[in-house]
Amino acid sequence: MEEDLVYKALVGIHIPITNYNEAFYVMAAFNLLNKVVKEKDKYNISYDFKKYIGDKIVEILNIENINVFLDKDVCYIKFLDYQFSFHNISYGEKLLEYKNSKKNIHQEWSQIRLQEKAFEIFEEAIRRMENE
C-alpha cells in the first residue's frame, strides 16, 4: 500500500494545477516524497523531485485560500488546514519576482511537522481529488 502511494506521489507531482484541491494534492505528494527520500533502505528515490517544486509553486500563486511565503532558504505554503514547508528549493525568475513583491507576506512556521503524517495527508489529498 505504501509503495502504491509513493508511486502515485511520483506521478502526481507532474499534474497541472488549476485549483485548490490539485494544489493540495501536488504539495502533499512533494511532502510524502520528502519523507520517503530519507528512507533509502526502503525506497529507491533521489532528491531529483525537488527540482519541480519551484515550477509547481508558480502554478499556485494565484489560487484562492493558498498563501505562499518565500524566504531565503525556506518556502511556506499555507492551505486552510495545513502549512507545508520546503527547504532549499530553487527560485526561478517568476518566484524571485514574487519573493521581492508585496504579495510575499511573511508567515511563521506552524511548528507542525507534516512529514510525520505524510502518508495520511496524501491519502486525504487523493480523497479530495476523487470527490471533485
Side-chain angles (χ1 to χ4, degrees), residues 27 53 57-58 60-61 66-79 82-89 91 95-96 98-110:
M27 293 304 126
I53 295 175
I57 293 170
V58 169
I60 68 173
L61 289 177
I66 303 173
N67 298 306
V68 175
F69 173 59
L70 304 175
D71 205 357
K72 186 171 75 172
D73 63 347
V74 65
C75 170
Y76 298 119
I77 303 168
K78 177 77 172 102
F79 289 79
Y82 293 100
Q83 181 193 54
F84 294 98
S85 62
F86 300 101
H87 291 80
N88 303 315
I89 61 171
Y91 296 156
L95 284 184
L96 286 174
Y98 175 86
K99 181 177 181 275
N100 296 318
S101 76
K102 292 180 180 178
K103 294 179 184 178
N104 190 31
I105 299 171
H106 182 79
Q107 289 181 38
E108 292 292 327
W109 179 49
S110 65

Side-chain angles (χ1 to χ4, degrees), residues 108-132:
E108 292 292 327
W109 179 49
S110 65
Q111 299 189 23
I112 299 172
R113 297 183 186 279
L114 297 185
Q115 286 185 24
E116 294 173 4
K117 301 186 297 184
F119 283 99
E120 293 87 352
I121 293 169
F122 189 57
E123 287 173 327
E124 179 181 336
I126 292 169
R127 285 191 300 277
R128 289 183 186 192
M129 292 285 283
E130 290 171 348
N131 292 329
E132 272 197 349

